[in-house]
């Protein structure tokens, strides 16, 4: 062996020397990976990791987004103000409601639909596609359409209830007891087909011969579901649960902004919308950043929960 | 698995109701977009006197066309960039082992765990300092890194037979040529599906354009639709025509590669 060029490259040194410096560097396994990685690392550094860390710094300062105004160091003052702030209290409370209501609506409700579609085999494809359609339509469009449908002055939904049942429906989006439920129902409408799809992906891994075996033993549908499908689907259910909890916080931003702007009386704002309100409506950057840090701690707690659950699953499989 | 007769009846009934709940609002929107103004608030779903007037009105509105142009332009450039950088990154991870390989891979995937709302304030300030406010760059550049695409593409690259790399190098092709001439042409379906998911995600985006756009120089169609509402827009027939047109591109690209796109969506963690 006289050839001493880098492993992985079968181009002879003679041939290589005829190429330029750049071409040689770009195919040298010592340097090449870094050239390919550089743009992504730069982008992630500038637009993900640096802003992430910088948010912690901003949460300790006071600033109103005005470039002529100096950024002043304020210590933990913002956290102090945040905890005493009524908007923060309302947003925390509402976030809990959004999450609690999302579990039956977005995590559990899709399961029977997914199992039914799965039981149909190929014949279920049409159902699958139809329920998936709301995923493709922007939440702006969904919100604008429902704003029009729910309009108390001549909107089709109030008119329908008026003419068919004789019920009078007021402005559900201006009513503190109903507004949050409108947003929850819309976000369920938007995401249910997507979650059904995730459950279907989990169901595919269930061996259908188990089902046949249980049937041979005379098991009925409900028993097959309780004893076989539900336990085997548990990892998927946890996955959907964690993602729904994390995702609901961002997902409802659009309907909140278009339908209620956090109102009436702060009954629909959540932690994410609150950060937006602090930072971009009242220009209190420090308070917004402090809210972001609290939101981060909340998401971190959920992620750790996910790690624990997944660990347990691994142990279970062993 | 075949369910018993009674469960089948229950199942079909309930899922048909869900399909109805999904399709009804869409049907109402499309039907209304063909109604003349005096019919818009009538319950009767089918227009008695169908008209194309609403669509003519929408296309006569210069602002609407500009919103569409901004959406189309920024989406194409952004998705193109996202795919380009994700391909380079995934290729580096799949092709070479290098010092820090696992650590850097973890750093790229870890970025998936940092959602946009945790980083928006500093990025917004940066965009303002760069004087990018209300430009296409502001919509495109901060969103070019897509770790989920890196993750999916790397899976595909790893399953790519190494013999083909070696054969390409035997013929004197460097890693760059091998990537574009050998690897990517063989991964077209996967690339197409990821592109479509990114396209839909970008086309439908609301939050970031809401922060950084201000005028017709950069406002996208989603922001435009919201603007019609703010301006006390009362022509609901035209609004529904606009909403229909704004939804068509995402639906159209989806139906091009339906099955694969649904699978990729599941792997992406992106939910409309």
């Amino acid at each position: 062996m006289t050839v001493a060029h880098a492993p992985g490259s079968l181009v002879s040194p003679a041939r290589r020397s005829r190429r330029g410096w750049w071409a040689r560097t770009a195919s040298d396994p010592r340097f090449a990976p870094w050239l390919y990685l550089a743009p992504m690392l730069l982008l992630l550094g500038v637009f993900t990791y640096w802003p992430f860390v910088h948010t912690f710094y901003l949460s300790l300062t006071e600033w109103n987004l005005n470039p002529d105004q100096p950024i002043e160091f304020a210590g933990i003052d913002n956290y102090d103000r945040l905890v005493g702030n009524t908007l923060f209290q309302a947003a925390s409370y509402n976030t809990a409601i959004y999450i609690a209501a999302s579990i039956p609506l977005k995590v559990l409700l899709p399961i029977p639909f997914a199992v039914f579609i799965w039981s149909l085999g190929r014949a279920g494809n049409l159902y699958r596609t139809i329920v998936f359609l709301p995923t493709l339509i922007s939440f702006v469009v969904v919100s604008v359409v429902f704003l029009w449908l729910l309009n108390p002055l001549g909107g089709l939904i109030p008119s329908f209830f008026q003419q068919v049942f004789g019920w009078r429906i007021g402005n559900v989006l201006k009513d503190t007891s109903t507004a949050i439920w409108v947003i929850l129902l819309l976000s369920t409408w938007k995401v249910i087909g997507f979650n059904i799809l995730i459950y279907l992906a989990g169901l595919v891994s269930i061996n259908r011969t188990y089902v046949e075996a249980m049937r041979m033993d005379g098991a009925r549908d409900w028993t097959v579901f309780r004893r076989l499908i539900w336990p085997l689907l548990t990892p998927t259910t946890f996955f959907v649960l964690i993602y729904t909890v994390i995702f609901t916080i961002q997902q409802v931003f659009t309907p909140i902004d278009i339908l209620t702007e956090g109102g009436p009386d702060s009954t629909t704002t959540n932690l994410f919308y609150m950060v937006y309100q602090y930072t971009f409506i009242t220009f209190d950057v420090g308070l917004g950043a402090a809210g972001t840090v609290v939101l981060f701690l909340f998401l971190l707690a959920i992620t750790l929960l996910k790690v624990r659950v997944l660990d347990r699953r691994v142990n279970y499989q062993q | 698995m075949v369910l018993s007769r009674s469960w089948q009846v229950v199942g079909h009934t309930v899922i048909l109701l869900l399909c109805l709940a999904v399709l009804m609002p869409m049907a109402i929107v499309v039907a209304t977009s063909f109604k003349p103004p005096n019919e818009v608030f009538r319950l009767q779903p089918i227009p008695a006197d169908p008209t194309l007037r609403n669509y003519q009105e929408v296309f006569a509105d210069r602002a609407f066309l500009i919103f569409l142009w901004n959406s189309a332009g920024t989406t194409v450039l952004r998705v193109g960039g996202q795919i380009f950088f994700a391909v380079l990154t995934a290729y580096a991870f799949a092709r070479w082992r290098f010092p820090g390989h696992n650590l850097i891979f973890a750093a790229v995937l870890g970025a998936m765990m940092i959602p946009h709302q945790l980083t928006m304030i500093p990025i917004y300030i940066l965009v303002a300092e760069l004087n990018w406010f209300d430009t296409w760059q502001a919509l495109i550049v901060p969103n070019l890194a897509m770790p989920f695409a890196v993750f999916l593409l790397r899976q595909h690259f790893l399953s790519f037979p190494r013999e083909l790399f070696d054969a390409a190098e035997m013929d004197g092709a460097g890693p760059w040529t091998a990537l574009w001439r050998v690897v990517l042409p063989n991964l077209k379906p996967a690339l197409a599906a990821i592109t479509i998911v990114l396209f839909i995600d970008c086309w439908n985006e609301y939050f970031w354009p809401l922060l950084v756009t201000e005028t017709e120089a950069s406002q996208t169609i989603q922001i435009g639709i919201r603007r019609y509402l703010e301006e006390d827009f009362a022509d609901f027939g035209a609004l529904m025509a606009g909403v229909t047109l704004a939804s068509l591109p995402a639906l159209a690209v989806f139906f091009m590669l339906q099955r694969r796109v649904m699978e990729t969506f599941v792997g992406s963690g992106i939910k409309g």
Side-chain angles (χ1 to χ4, degrees), chain A residues 124-146:
Chain A
N125 282 354
L126 182 63
Y127 286 140
R128 194 179 65 156
T129 305
I130 290 175
V131 296
F132 186 73
L133 289 178
T135 308
L136 304 168
I137 295 171
S138 85
F139 223 148
V140 176
V141 166
V142 175
S143 303
V144 166
V145 166
F146 276 90

PDB file of all heavy atoms in Angstrom, chain A residues 124-146:
ATOM      1  N   GLY A 124     -61.007   2.388   5.386  1.00  0.00           N
ATOM      2  CA  GLY A 124     -61.038   3.563   6.255  1.00  0.00           C
ATOM      3  C   GLY A 124     -60.280   4.753   5.700  1.00  0.00           C
ATOM      4  O   GLY A 124     -60.308   5.842   6.288  1.00  0.00           O
ATOM      5  N   ASN A 125     -59.603   4.580   4.551  1.00  0.00           N
ATOM      6  CA  ASN A 125     -58.763   5.665   4.023  1.00  0.00           C
ATOM      7  C   ASN A 125     -59.519   6.958   3.747  1.00  0.00           C
ATOM      8  O   ASN A 125     -58.992   8.040   3.977  1.00  0.00           O
ATOM      9  CB  ASN A 125     -58.069   5.215   2.738  1.00  0.00           C
ATOM     10  CG  ASN A 125     -56.870   4.329   3.046  1.00  0.00           C
ATOM     11  OD1 ASN A 125     -56.510   4.163   4.218  1.00  0.00           O
ATOM     12  ND2 ASN A 125     -56.272   3.750   2.018  1.00  0.00           N
ATOM     13  N   LEU A 126     -60.751   6.835   3.253  1.00  0.00           N
ATOM     14  CA  LEU A 126     -61.507   8.039   2.929  1.00  0.00           C
ATOM     15  C   LEU A 126     -61.816   8.833   4.202  1.00  0.00           C
ATOM     16  O   LEU A 126     -61.625  10.049   4.247  1.00  0.00           O
ATOM     17  CB  LEU A 126     -62.797   7.677   2.193  1.00  0.00           C
ATOM     18  CG  LEU A 126     -63.636   8.891   1.775  1.00  0.00           C
ATOM     19  CD1 LEU A 126     -62.881   9.764   0.784  1.00  0.00           C
ATOM     20  CD2 LEU A 126     -64.960   8.452   1.170  1.00  0.00           C
ATOM     21  N   TYR A 127     -62.268   8.123   5.249  1.00  0.00           N
ATOM     22  CA  TYR A 127     -62.512   8.793   6.532  1.00  0.00           C
ATOM     23  C   TYR A 127     -61.255   9.498   7.015  1.00  0.00           C
ATOM     24  O   TYR A 127     -61.275  10.633   7.468  1.00  0.00           O
ATOM     25  CB  TYR A 127     -62.933   7.767   7.593  1.00  0.00           C
ATOM     26  CG  TYR A 127     -64.340   7.241   7.466  1.00  0.00           C
ATOM     27  CD1 TYR A 127     -64.612   5.888   7.695  1.00  0.00           C
ATOM     28  CD2 TYR A 127     -65.400   8.085   7.147  1.00  0.00           C
ATOM     29  CE1 TYR A 127     -65.903   5.393   7.600  1.00  0.00           C
ATOM     30  CE2 TYR A 127     -66.685   7.591   7.047  1.00  0.00           C
ATOM     31  CZ  TYR A 127     -66.940   6.248   7.272  1.00  0.00           C
ATOM     32  OH  TYR A 127     -68.207   5.767   7.175  1.00  0.00           O
ATOM     33  N   ARG A 128     -60.134   8.769   6.906  1.00  0.00           N
ATOM     34  CA  ARG A 128     -58.864   9.297   7.390  1.00  0.00           C
ATOM     35  C   ARG A 128     -58.524  10.617   6.694  1.00  0.00           C
ATOM     36  O   ARG A 128     -58.110  11.595   7.325  1.00  0.00           O
ATOM     37  CB  ARG A 128     -57.775   8.254   7.125  1.00  0.00           C
ATOM     38  CG  ARG A 128     -56.497   8.499   7.854  1.00  0.00           C
ATOM     39  CD  ARG A 128     -55.506   7.412   7.533  1.00  0.00           C
ATOM     40  NE  ARG A 128     -55.128   7.429   6.134  1.00  0.00           N
ATOM     41  CZ  ARG A 128     -53.987   6.924   5.672  1.00  0.00           C
ATOM     42  NH1 ARG A 128     -53.157   6.347   6.492  1.00  0.00           N
ATOM     43  NH2 ARG A 128     -53.714   6.971   4.391  1.00  0.00           N
ATOM     44  N   THR A 129     -58.719  10.625   5.377  1.00  0.00           N
ATOM     45  CA  THR A 129     -58.393  11.833   4.622  1.00  0.00           C
ATOM     46  C   THR A 129     -59.332  12.979   4.999  1.00  0.00           C
ATOM     47  O   THR A 129     -58.893  14.113   5.180  1.00  0.00           O
ATOM     48  CB  THR A 129     -58.471  11.552   3.112  1.00  0.00           C
ATOM     49  OG1 THR A 129     -57.631  10.446   2.825  1.00  0.00           O
ATOM     50  CG2 THR A 129     -58.039  12.751   2.311  1.00  0.00           C
ATOM     51  N   ILE A 130     -60.612  12.687   5.132  1.00  0.00           N
ATOM     52  CA  ILE A 130     -61.570  13.766   5.427  1.00  0.00           C
ATOM     53  C   ILE A 130     -61.272  14.400   6.784  1.00  0.00           C
ATOM     54  O   ILE A 130     -61.178  15.615   6.900  1.00  0.00           O
ATOM     55  CB  ILE A 130     -63.021  13.243   5.383  1.00  0.00           C
ATOM     56  CG1 ILE A 130     -63.402  12.908   3.929  1.00  0.00           C
ATOM     57  CG2 ILE A 130     -63.996  14.290   5.938  1.00  0.00           C
ATOM     58  CD1 ILE A 130     -64.767  12.282   3.778  1.00  0.00           C
ATOM     59  N   VAL A 131     -61.071  13.560   7.813  1.00  0.00           N
ATOM     60  CA  VAL A 131     -60.848  14.158   9.132  1.00  0.00           C
ATOM     61  C   VAL A 131     -59.499  14.874   9.204  1.00  0.00           C
ATOM     62  O   VAL A 131     -59.287  15.712  10.072  1.00  0.00           O
ATOM     63  CB  VAL A 131     -60.955  13.125  10.285  1.00  0.00           C
ATOM     64  CG1 VAL A 131     -62.355  12.561  10.356  1.00  0.00           C
ATOM     65  CG2 VAL A 131     -59.925  12.029  10.162  1.00  0.00           C
ATOM     66  N   PHE A 132     -58.600  14.558   8.276  1.00  0.00           N
ATOM     67  CA  PHE A 132     -57.288  15.212   8.275  1.00  0.00           C
ATOM     68  C   PHE A 132     -57.346  16.617   7.667  1.00  0.00           C
ATOM     69  O   PHE A 132     -56.481  17.448   7.930  1.00  0.00           O
ATOM     70  CB  PHE A 132     -56.287  14.356   7.494  1.00  0.00           C
ATOM     71  CG  PHE A 132     -54.873  14.860   7.541  1.00  0.00           C
ATOM     72  CD1 PHE A 132     -54.121  14.730   8.704  1.00  0.00           C
ATOM     73  CD2 PHE A 132     -54.289  15.475   6.449  1.00  0.00           C
ATOM     74  CE1 PHE A 132     -52.823  15.204   8.770  1.00  0.00           C
ATOM     75  CE2 PHE A 132     -52.992  15.943   6.509  1.00  0.00           C
ATOM     76  CZ  PHE A 132     -52.253  15.802   7.671  1.00  0.00           C
ATOM     77  N   LEU A 133     -58.375  16.889   6.854  1.00  0.00           N
ATOM     78  CA  LEU A 133     -58.424  18.156   6.107  1.00  0.00           C
ATOM     79  C   LEU A 133     -58.228  19.414   6.971  1.00  0.00           C
ATOM     80  O   LEU A 133     -57.523  20.329   6.559  1.00  0.00           O
ATOM     81  CB  LEU A 133     -59.744  18.263   5.321  1.00  0.00           C
ATOM     82  CG  LEU A 133     -59.860  17.335   4.118  1.00  0.00           C
ATOM     83  CD1 LEU A 133     -61.225  17.499   3.454  1.00  0.00           C
ATOM     84  CD2 LEU A 133     -58.765  17.623   3.100  1.00  0.00           C
ATOM     85  N   PRO A 134     -58.823  19.503   8.179  1.00  0.00           N
ATOM     86  CA  PRO A 134     -58.635  20.745   8.954  1.00  0.00           C
ATOM     87  C   PRO A 134     -57.169  21.053   9.266  1.00  0.00           C
ATOM     88  O   PRO A 134     -56.815  22.222   9.457  1.00  0.00           O
ATOM     89  CB  PRO A 134     -59.416  20.478  10.245  1.00  0.00           C
ATOM     90  CG  PRO A 134     -60.461  19.507   9.856  1.00  0.00           C
ATOM     91  CD  PRO A 134     -59.817  18.627   8.822  1.00  0.00           C
ATOM     92  N   THR A 135     -56.305  20.023   9.290  1.00  0.00           N
ATOM     93  CA  THR A 135     -54.882  20.272   9.527  1.00  0.00           C
ATOM     94  C   THR A 135     -54.296  21.174   8.444  1.00  0.00           C
ATOM     95  O   THR A 135     -53.360  21.922   8.687  1.00  0.00           O
ATOM     96  CB  THR A 135     -54.119  18.924   9.519  1.00  0.00           C
ATOM     97  OG1 THR A 135     -54.761  18.046  10.421  1.00  0.00           O
ATOM     98  CG2 THR A 135     -52.672  19.097   9.928  1.00  0.00           C
ATOM     99  N   LEU A 136     -54.864  21.084   7.230  1.00  0.00           N
ATOM    100  CA  LEU A 136     -54.287  21.788   6.092  1.00  0.00           C
ATOM    101  C   LEU A 136     -54.765  23.233   5.986  1.00  0.00           C
ATOM    102  O   LEU A 136     -54.194  24.020   5.249  1.00  0.00           O
ATOM    103  CB  LEU A 136     -54.659  21.060   4.796  1.00  0.00           C
ATOM    104  CG  LEU A 136     -54.259  19.598   4.741  1.00  0.00           C
ATOM    105  CD1 LEU A 136     -54.924  18.922   3.565  1.00  0.00           C
ATOM    106  CD2 LEU A 136     -52.749  19.495   4.642  1.00  0.00           C
ATOM    107  N   ILE A 137     -55.830  23.543   6.708  1.00  0.00           N
ATOM    108  CA  ILE A 137     -56.408  24.875   6.565  1.00  0.00           C
ATOM    109  C   ILE A 137     -55.872  25.759   7.681  1.00  0.00           C
ATOM    110  O   ILE A 137     -55.817  25.344   8.831  1.00  0.00           O
ATOM    111  CB  ILE A 137     -57.938  24.775   6.595  1.00  0.00           C
ATOM    112  CG1 ILE A 137     -58.375  23.999   5.363  1.00  0.00           C
ATOM    113  CG2 ILE A 137     -58.586  26.141   6.627  1.00  0.00           C
ATOM    114  CD1 ILE A 137     -59.804  23.645   5.352  1.00  0.00           C
ATOM    115  N   SER A 138     -55.455  26.976   7.326  1.00  0.00           N
ATOM    116  CA  SER A 138     -54.805  27.813   8.330  1.00  0.00           C
ATOM    117  C   SER A 138     -55.791  28.175   9.436  1.00  0.00           C
ATOM    118  O   SER A 138     -56.998  28.304   9.218  1.00  0.00           O
ATOM    119  CB  SER A 138     -54.248  29.075   7.686  1.00  0.00           C
ATOM    120  OG  SER A 138     -55.239  30.057   7.611  1.00  0.00           O
ATOM    121  N   PHE A 139     -55.264  28.347  10.631  1.00  0.00           N
ATOM    122  CA  PHE A 139     -56.121  28.691  11.755  1.00  0.00           C
ATOM    123  C   PHE A 139     -56.684  30.111  11.603  1.00  0.00           C
ATOM    124  O   PHE A 139     -57.716  30.445  12.188  1.00  0.00           O
ATOM    125  CB  PHE A 139     -55.363  28.540  13.080  1.00  0.00           C
ATOM    126  CG  PHE A 139     -56.182  27.890  14.153  1.00  0.00           C
ATOM    127  CD1 PHE A 139     -55.581  27.105  15.114  1.00  0.00           C
ATOM    128  CD2 PHE A 139     -57.564  28.063  14.204  1.00  0.00           C
ATOM    129  CE1 PHE A 139     -56.334  26.490  16.104  1.00  0.00           C
ATOM    130  CE2 PHE A 139     -58.315  27.451  15.194  1.00  0.00           C
ATOM    131  CZ  PHE A 139     -57.706  26.666  16.145  1.00  0.00           C
ATOM    132  N   VAL A 140     -56.022  30.936  10.812  1.00  0.00           N
ATOM    133  CA  VAL A 140     -56.567  32.265  10.531  1.00  0.00           C
ATOM    134  C   VAL A 140     -57.888  32.103   9.787  1.00  0.00           C
ATOM    135  O   VAL A 140     -58.913  32.702  10.149  1.00  0.00           O
ATOM    136  CB  VAL A 140     -55.589  33.090   9.679  1.00  0.00           C
ATOM    137  CG1 VAL A 140     -56.198  34.427   9.316  1.00  0.00           C
ATOM    138  CG2 VAL A 140     -54.268  33.261  10.392  1.00  0.00           C
ATOM    139  N   VAL A 141     -57.867  31.268   8.761  1.00  0.00           N
ATOM    140  CA  VAL A 141     -59.071  31.030   7.964  1.00  0.00           C
ATOM    141  C   VAL A 141     -60.178  30.447   8.847  1.00  0.00           C
ATOM    142  O   VAL A 141     -61.315  30.924   8.834  1.00  0.00           O
ATOM    143  CB  VAL A 141     -58.746  30.101   6.776  1.00  0.00           C
ATOM    144  CG1 VAL A 141     -60.010  29.563   6.139  1.00  0.00           C
ATOM    145  CG2 VAL A 141     -57.896  30.832   5.749  1.00  0.00           C
ATOM    146  N   VAL A 142     -59.824  29.446   9.643  1.00  0.00           N
ATOM    147  CA  VAL A 142     -60.814  28.818  10.516  1.00  0.00           C
ATOM    148  C   VAL A 142     -61.419  29.869  11.459  1.00  0.00           C
ATOM    149  O   VAL A 142     -62.635  29.956  11.615  1.00  0.00           O
ATOM    150  CB  VAL A 142     -60.171  27.664  11.326  1.00  0.00           C
ATOM    151  CG1 VAL A 142     -61.163  27.092  12.325  1.00  0.00           C
ATOM    152  CG2 VAL A 142     -59.660  26.578  10.397  1.00  0.00           C
ATOM    153  N   SER A 143     -60.568  30.689  12.057  1.00  0.00           N
ATOM    154  CA  SER A 143     -61.055  31.684  13.013  1.00  0.00           C
ATOM    155  C   SER A 143     -61.941  32.723  12.342  1.00  0.00           C
ATOM    156  O   SER A 143     -62.994  33.078  12.866  1.00  0.00           O
ATOM    157  CB  SER A 143     -59.874  32.388  13.687  1.00  0.00           C
ATOM    158  OG  SER A 143     -59.031  31.460  14.309  1.00  0.00           O
ATOM    159  N   VAL A 144     -61.492  33.193  11.190  1.00  0.00           N
ATOM    160  CA  VAL A 144     -62.271  34.227  10.496  1.00  0.00           C
ATOM    161  C   VAL A 144     -63.641  33.674  10.101  1.00  0.00           C
ATOM    162  O   VAL A 144     -64.674  34.334  10.275  1.00  0.00           O
ATOM    163  CB  VAL A 144     -61.491  34.726   9.250  1.00  0.00           C
ATOM    164  CG1 VAL A 144     -62.398  35.522   8.327  1.00  0.00           C
ATOM    165  CG2 VAL A 144     -60.308  35.559   9.676  1.00  0.00           C
ATOM    166  N   VAL A 145     -63.652  32.439   9.609  1.00  0.00           N
ATOM    167  CA  VAL A 145     -64.917  31.837   9.175  1.00  0.00           C
ATOM    168  C   VAL A 145     -65.863  31.678  10.371  1.00  0.00           C
ATOM    169  O   VAL A 145     -67.048  32.025  10.288  1.00  0.00           O
ATOM    170  CB  VAL A 145     -64.659  30.483   8.484  1.00  0.00           C
ATOM    171  CG1 VAL A 145     -65.957  29.698   8.340  1.00  0.00           C
ATOM    172  CG2 VAL A 145     -64.024  30.699   7.124  1.00  0.00           C
ATOM    173  N   PHE A 146     -65.344  31.201  11.493  1.00  0.00           N
ATOM    174  CA  PHE A 146     -66.227  31.009  12.639  1.00  0.00           C
ATOM    175  C   PHE A 146     -66.639  32.335  13.274  1.00  0.00           C
ATOM    176  O   PHE A 146     -67.729  32.453  13.828  1.00  0.00           O
ATOM    177  CB  PHE A 146     -65.607  30.054  13.660  1.00  0.00           C
ATOM    178  CG  PHE A 146     -65.865  28.616  13.303  1.00  0.00           C
ATOM    179  CD1 PHE A 146     -64.978  27.918  12.495  1.00  0.00           C
ATOM    180  CD2 PHE A 146     -67.021  27.986  13.723  1.00  0.00           C
ATOM    181  CE1 PHE A 146     -65.236  26.608  12.134  1.00  0.00           C
ATOM    182  CE2 PHE A 146     -67.286  26.676  13.369  1.00  0.00           C
ATOM    183  CZ  PHE A 146     -66.390  25.979  12.565  1.00  0.00           C
TER     184      PHE A 146
END
